[in-house]
Amino acid sequence: MGLWLVSVGGCVQGPSEAPPLVTSASGQADTATIEACMVCHSTREMQRGPVLDGLPEWYLADQLKKFKSGRRGNNAANRAGALMGAAMAKVETEAQLAGLARHFAARKPKPFIRVIRGDLPVGRAQYATRCASCHGVKGEGKPEIASPPVNVQEDWFLLDQLRKYANGQRTVHPSDAGGVMMQASAAALSPDDLRNVVAYIAKDLTVTPPLQKVGPPKL
Ligand code: HEC
Ligand code: HEC
């Protein structure tokens, strides 16, 4: 039960080219809907969203609700976010949303090619003092404060999201205390330090091995 009330500050606006999602009669996440998500959430396309596999169910559901209500993905300056916001139009029921979160959470994190380079010792120090309290010393996240893991996502996506928090493109609702603090954390780091911290996470915390052969770290 429970149809979504979509009218928080109007509909989610986004470019019209987002592919339509198929909704099953039962409201559960069916394979057609999942397939529609995978148009953007697999490694098939060059221009795409992040691989979602292995993110926790609670975080996926939380973010999907934020996209659905327009708390995330309603900033036209963030084209990627707006595409995602538009894609949510056809996720119509809570049961369907929950089914999608369950589906992606049950999948194993995917190994990926590391593309972000940075100063690892600097990144390690920044992570320890500025990130670990909320995201955990292993990057495992802290569900009790709604803080996601950072050790399963692709490195380009981590950096992309940090930049978007810092420049305001990843929208955070003023009542979302954790998100507001996250935005402040990202804004406090220089562009170089954002790279450094992501390079450190990808090197030492990410649970999957790198797809490429990496040389010894530049210390
Ligand atoms: C048109 C392409 C597109 C489609 C279709 C799409 N997404 Fe997305 N999605 C994106 C992009 C791009 C982002 C990154 C948004 C940003 O940068 O703010 C994203 C972000 C997300 C995130 C946030 C991930 C994170 O760690 O912050 C979740 C969860 C998500 N999508 C789930 C889904 C689900 C479930 C579906 C299917 C119902 C779906 N998406 C369909 C493009 C798409
Ligand atoms: C006060 C706690 C706190 C601190 C400190 C913090 N974060 Fe976060 N972080 C969060 C919360 C809460 C979210 C989810 C916010 C939302 O829903 O947008 C988040 C989200 C993120 C995301 C998005 C993940 C995704 O899949 O979409 C990244 C990346 C991230 N944090 C990295 C960092 C890094 C790197 C640092 C240190 C520079 C840091 N965070 C510091 C609490 C924190």
Side-chain angles (χ1 to χ4, degrees):
M1 286 299 288
L3 278 180
W4 278 93
L5 303 171
V6 195
S7 57
V8 180
C11 294
V12 178
Q13 296 295 329
S16 55
E17 65 264 37
L21 301 176
V22 181
T23 312
S24 74
S26 70
Q28 295 295 330
D30 57 295
T31 43
T33 307
I34 290 164
E35 197 47 41
C37 305
M38 293 304 280
V39 169
C40 297
H41 287 287
S42 72
T43 53
R44 271 179 254 159
E45 304 278 345
M46 289 300 287
Q47 296 289 322
R48 62 175 174 90
V51 170
L52 304 170
D53 300 358
L55 281 167
E57 188 175 336
W58 66 264
Y59 183 68
L60 290 165
D62 188 47
Q63 295 302 309
L64 290 174
K65 286 175 193 162
K66 286 178 176 175
F67 280 115
K68 188 70 191 173
S69 66
R71 289 185 170 198
R72 183 177 172 189
N74 65 352
N75 182 345
N78 178 0
R79 201 180 130 74
L83 278 174
M84 178 56 212
M88 284 307 286
K90 297 288 164 58
V91 180
E92 289 179 323
T93 66
E94 291 192 41
Q96 196 189 9
L97 187 153
L100 288 166
R102 203 160 44 240
H103 169 80
F104 287 104
R107 293 164 65 95
K108 281 205 168 66
K110 289 261 180 310
F112 58 90
I113 297 171
R114 308 294 197 262
V115 294
I116 307 302
R117 300 270 177 270
D119 185 322
L120 296 173
V122 170
R124 181 181 294 116
Q126 295 280 17
Y127 186 86
T129 53
R130 294 172 178 270
C131 318
S133 59
C134 291
H135 290 287
V137 288
K138 294 178 175 167
E140 72 277 23
K142 293 194 177 170
E144 63 274 21
I145 55 166
S147 179
V150 289
N151 63 3
V152 293
Q153 300 95 326
E154 298 156 284
D155 57 354
W156 68 265
F157 180 70
L158 294 173
L159 183 59
D160 177 68
Q161 295 301 299
L162 287 167
R163 286 174 173 161
K164 286 175 177 171
Y165 278 119
N167 69 18
Q169 283 191 14
R170 178 157 171 175
T171 43
V172 165
H173 195 267
S175 69
D176 178 0
V180 168
M181 284 194 280
M182 179 56 223
Q183 201 159 43
S185 296
L189 265 67
S190 70
D192 277 350
D193 279 341
L194 292 180
R195 296 187 79 87
N196 294 337
V197 86
V198 169
Y200 161 70
I201 292 170
K203 173 68 174 58
D204 280 13
L205 305 184
T206 301
V207 296
T208 55
L211 273 184
Q212 77 267 57
K213 292 242 185 297
V214 285
K218 290 195 179 72
L219 291 171

